[in-house]
Amino acid sequence: MRRRLLALICVTGSLVSACGMLPGDHERETVTVWLMKDSASEEFLERFTEDYEKTHDDVRLDIRIQEWTGIVEKVRAALKAPSGDGPDVIEVGNTQVPLYADGGRLADLTLESMRDWGKDKWLPGLAQPGKDGNKQYGVPWYAASRVVIYRKDLFEQAGITEPPKTRDEWLAATQRLDTAGNQGIYLAGQDWYTLSGFIWDEGGDLAEEKDHEWRGTLDSPAALRGMDFYRRLQALGGGPVDADEEHPPQAGVFAGDKVAQIVALPGLAQQILEQNPGLKGDIGFFPVPGRTAGRPGTVFTGGSDLVVPQNTDDQFAATSVVAALTGAKWDTELARTMNYVPNKTTLADAVASEEGVAAMAAGAAHGRATPNTPQWADVEADNPIKEYMARVLQGADPATEARRASREISEALAPLGG
């Protein structure tokens, strides 16, 4: 954040910028905001900037769009820069917050979160990764989570009049759909995000921390129950056991074959229709079913948090921008514009008219994120969960393979030199 006379301000390289004098000819702060490509539309950012600068005449916004590729190293470098030389607000993936909080380079926003921002209503899958101990560093902005995308016509042909609400109903319906040349569900064998939800629903986890040490827990009874449900569901279709949902991409499979269901972000429906316009009107959405009808299944919640670097030279102004972007007015606008889930459970009604987003919001209300440790990125880099899943689906003993994968997760989560 740099102090400049307004007469000299003419920000370059930003999506939203402006030059010129305002009445009073006073000095303005420039708040530099890094947002990720495609997180918000240009039109949304223009409206937000105009409104914010109108109500904060001592601040000028400099919004700079970043690419996801290479962003981790770029953010880490910015957090180490001298005071005032880097961005003042940064959008980061919710599960990336622990990477940046490590080393004390993010501002502690716990007080504002509790006093002003209603953190008790935040989506847990966004809020929890933004914490380190009792301190809140990441402020939830928007979320996205998986739902079941289904063919209404195939459900009707199978005599299924409404989407299943429990896991048992889901298995029974999928079995009925898996006939007459149709696939009841296309579920790739290594879709570990979907598996994670089943494990969480059973009360298990991918890894747990005890006595300041992380260890993999795929071998717990609860996690094994989650894997068993995945195995039974995956068998009701032709998904490859040794590939993930991107190999081949699910949209093409759903568009080209008689597939009754996939588990995916609802935005994938647009890609499906681009490849097969004939499915228009036949695509529906419902939350991933849970163990009981009253609660949808737990799902991995992706999305973004906003953070304030410790090296900002005006934390007050930076925090003010975070408050505006994540507040009810603009968070709701963003969700409606981009088909996201708002950052609070109390704002879900704002997207209730969109079937796919409403299904997503129902699951995200109690969604989860990956284990809250900076080392989790090392697990995903050479993901032992995928190999574990493939081996089990190929007939290997689940308990044996779970122990093997848990040891590999524990090794990846061990501190350097540990």
Side-chain angles (χ1 to χ4, degrees), residues 155-350:
F155 268 56
E156 184 178 348
Q157 291 170 23
I160 302 171
T161 58
E162 61 180 15
K165 291 185 170 60
T166 70
R167 278 194 190 177
D168 288 342
E169 291 176 0
W170 194 18
L171 279 175
T174 304
Q175 196 162 19
R176 289 175 64 180
L177 291 160
D178 195 41
T179 57
N182 299 334
Q183 292 188 58
I185 189 169
Y186 179 85
L187 183 60
Q190 296 183 329
D191 184 353
W192 69 279
Y193 286 118
T194 297
L195 170 65
S196 299
F198 300 157
I199 290 174
W200 291 327
D201 261 354
E202 292 290 344
D205 210 335
L206 308 178
E208 294 178 350
E209 185 182 24
K210 185 176 181 180
D211 298 328
H212 307 291
E213 182 176 319
W214 284 91
R215 58 176 294 272
T217 53
L218 292 176
D219 54 341
S220 72
L224 287 169
R225 290 195 300 270
M227 183 65 219
D228 185 62
F229 179 80
Y230 190 99
R231 178 189 59 78
R232 288 186 286 155
L233 184 66
Q234 198 272 341
L236 299 174
V241 300
D242 58 351
D244 62 25
E245 64 275 20
E246 291 300 323
H247 301 90
Q250 290 190 100
V253 176
F254 192 91
D257 294 332
K258 287 196 170 183
V259 174
Q261 307 170 87
I262 56 174
V263 181
L265 296 175
L268 200 71
Q270 185 58 41
Q271 296 180 37
I272 293 168
L273 291 174
E274 288 171 0
Q275 297 179 59
N276 187 353
L279 291 179
K280 186 174 183 180
D282 283 332
I283 295 179
F285 312 86
F286 60 87
V288 172
R291 298 178 67 189
T292 62
R295 178 185 169 99
T298 306
V299 289
F300 171 78
T301 301
S304 286
D305 285 10
L306 299 180
V307 299
V308 174
Q310 188 72 263
N311 59 4
T312 178
D313 60 9
D314 193 336
Q315 185 176 327
F316 179 82
T319 302
S320 169
V321 175
V322 171
L325 276 170
T326 61
K329 174 183 177 180
W330 288 105
D331 204 76
T332 299
E333 281 295 304
L334 180 71
R336 287 172 174 157
T337 301
M338 304 299 294
N339 286 337
Y340 292 145
V341 179
N343 61 4
K344 289 183 176 180
T345 56
T346 50
L347 299 178
D349 286 348

Side-chain angles (χ1 to χ4, degrees), residues 41-173:
S41 68
E42 183 172 350
E43 182 268 342
F44 170 87
L45 293 176
E46 288 173 350
R47 287 192 294 115
F48 172 77
T49 300
E50 181 181 2
D51 181 81
Y52 183 87
E53 291 184 349
K54 215 179 263 186
T55 55
H56 299 78
D57 62 4
D58 57 340
V59 175
R60 173 76 68 201
L61 294 184
D62 175 11
I63 298 179
R64 304 189 178 193
I65 303 304
Q66 310 295 315
E67 299 283 347
W68 283 107
T69 302
I71 192 60
V72 171
E73 292 310 312
K74 188 171 184 178
V75 170
R76 280 175 163 166
L79 295 178
K80 295 176 183 177
S83 179
D85 285 356
D88 306 294
V89 177
I90 309 175
E91 175 194 351
V92 301
N94 61 322
T95 60
Q96 293 178 337
V97 178
L99 288 173
Y100 306 131
D102 196 35
R105 298 189 183 275
L106 297 182
D108 179 3
L109 303 176
T110 308
L111 176 61
E112 294 86 350
S113 299
M114 296 176 64
R115 183 189 62 198
D116 305 322
W117 298 341
K119 65 175 294 183
D120 57 318
K121 304 298 186 205
W122 283 344
L123 297 178
L126 295 181
Q128 289 169 358
K131 290 181 65 176
D132 183 12
N134 294 321
K135 295 183 177 180
Q136 190 77 41
Y137 296 104
V139 180
W141 193 23
Y142 66 84
S145 58
R146 285 160 176 74
V147 302
V148 182
I149 301 177
Y150 74 103
R151 287 271 301 266
K152 294 180 179 180
D153 55 334
L154 296 183
F155 268 56
E156 184 178 348
Q157 291 170 23
I160 302 171
T161 58
E162 61 180 15
K165 291 185 170 60
T166 70
R167 278 194 190 177
D168 288 342
E169 291 176 0
W170 194 18
L171 279 175

